[in-house]
Amino acid sequence: MRILSVASEVYPLVKTGGLADVAGALPAALAALGEDVRILVPGYPAVLDATEGLGGWLPLGDPLGAGECRLGLGRLPGTTLRVWVIECPTLYGRPGNPYSDAAGADWPDNHLRFALLARVAALVCEAGALLGWPPDLLHAHDWQAGLAPAYLALRAGRRPATVFTIHNIQFPGIFPAAALPALGLPRESYSINGVEYHGNVSFLKAGLYYADHVNTVSPTYALELLTPEGGSGFHGALAAKGDRFSGILNGIDTALWNPARDAAIAVPFSAAALQGKAIDKAALQREAGLAPQAEAPLFGVISRLTGQKGMDLLVGALPELLAGGGQLVLLGTGERPIEATLLAAAQAHPRHVHVRIGYDEAFAHRIQAGSDALLVPSRHEPCGLTQLYAMRYGTLPVARRTGGLADSVVDAAVPGAATGFLFDRGTVPELAAAIRRASAAYHDPAGWGRLRERAMQQDFSWDASARRYLELFRSLA
Ligand code: ADP
Ligand code: GLC
């Protein structure tokens, strides 16, 4: 099957979060199963720089009247996976974050920037025969690719089957209805049976309505999306899809996230040879300027610093963490007030709290390797990848029972299956109680060792999930 995967970020070309990890690893896993997969991504400067062997440029003209563009073909670094890159200097020729300017404000022309991604995806499908590569299936990720199924469905003629994956319903890609003509969408698409959403255009709604199948990234999040509280206004539209809406748990790239072969960490380790983990903990404490206490439970956080991620709860529960003799190393960026509160906490407790504001892939690996537990207090979590990486590194998740966290972590109270600590409500007392439980468990080395061993044995590799996608794709194509 020829599968075209369309996403606004793809690791290792450009990444702001888990979407990039999935948009890089799932195509690779499908290719490993023998499918013919290609990726389509916007040519931000970092992507133009990092794509290997990029060339064979095809002029595409000016599809949206927003600037001339062309399409090049290259490879994902270090792989044979083919990547199509859209070069369009007027829309993509800006360094930094793919969605926003240096001050964190969304680019005002994001509707055009991501309409172009979708428009070119549709063009590749329409001109597939000419390109010598007619896709059988288009896989669009999140709102940034949401118009692709719409462009394809709204024209006559043969088209590939389409699947739209929701990675986060909290980002619906909403723009004023006045943008409709610039997007090249017909008037009749501006309807409840179309791209309209409460008097605006929603790119997510477009993907959701026009795709042949919609899925999200965990079974529990799929159920949550069907409720008025969890569906963010889209629960009705999702319910209308019936069995054309489902949940498939993400996998992880087990080569990239492998404590036995991780170039970013001080000493490699594995479930069978765990000595290295203690050395990595000491190295992390040193790097973070924390007291070199081997017996202090060390909690890690690697997260966008937002309300969705429950980072305000973390601030509230910090006294409890410190009272239990614990330490905290946090890496993240996000909302300025949360950053400021966390930095203040680090300043108040320099030997027990370390906060690094910024984006640092290698430090994320060292936190996973050196921590005893990883805090993931999310209010909503479609899947969550950091808890999956954590378990592989023998770092026990302390997580809220929601979405993909509920589907991947088993609470310590469950005999014979436990891999971490779950709490139910997104409140400070419940998070604090979970931290207390984890701290107490940490001081029982034999029990902790059993939990850690089981966490490390879990198989979250893409293999099983990629087969589920493939089954779905085959049923549609
Ligand atoms: P989300 O996509 O909602 O942010 P996920 O848990 O799915 O959450 O994925 C987050 C990804 O981004 C993980 O790969 C994590 O390691 C990474 N990440 C998040 N914040 C940072 C950061 N500040 N520095 C490095 N990596 C980060
Ligand atoms: C989104 C979600 C996260 C998920 C990731 C990859 O960013 O917030 O839970 O793991 O997408 O699917």
Side-chain angles (χ1 to χ4, degrees), residues 200-293:
N200 290 301
V201 173
S202 159
F203 283 27
L204 181 120
K205 169 80 185 306
L208 198 161
Y209 179 77
Y210 286 105
D212 297 321
H213 191 98
V214 177
N215 83 303
T216 188
V217 289
S218 72
T220 294
Y221 192 60
L223 292 175
E224 290 169 5
L225 289 185
L226 291 170
T227 67
E229 312 78 61
S232 229
F234 295 99
H235 59 284
L238 285 168
K241 298 298 272 194
D243 62 3
R244 295 187 299 128
F245 172 57
S246 60
I248 301 177
L249 191 71
N250 285 332
I252 60 172
D253 182 332
T254 50
L256 199 63
W257 293 92
N258 179 1
R261 290 162 184 272
D262 188 330
I265 69 179
V267 180
F269 62 91
S270 64
L274 258 176
Q275 311 84 318
K277 188 162 172 75
I279 305 174
D280 288 319
K281 176 173 176 177
L284 180 60
Q285 286 172 322
R286 210 174 314 119
E287 178 177 4
L290 300 180
Q293 298 166 341

Side-chain angles (χ1 to χ4, degrees), residues 298-331:
L298 176 50
F299 293 85
V301 174
I302 302 153
S303 183
R304 292 186 286 114
L305 303 179
T306 64
Q308 180 213 329
K309 297 289 182 180
M311 286 296 123
D312 47 323
L313 302 177
L314 174 63
V315 172
L318 197 56
E320 195 85 26
L321 187 155
L322 295 171
Q327 298 182 337
L328 175 70
V329 174
L330 179 145
L331 168 66

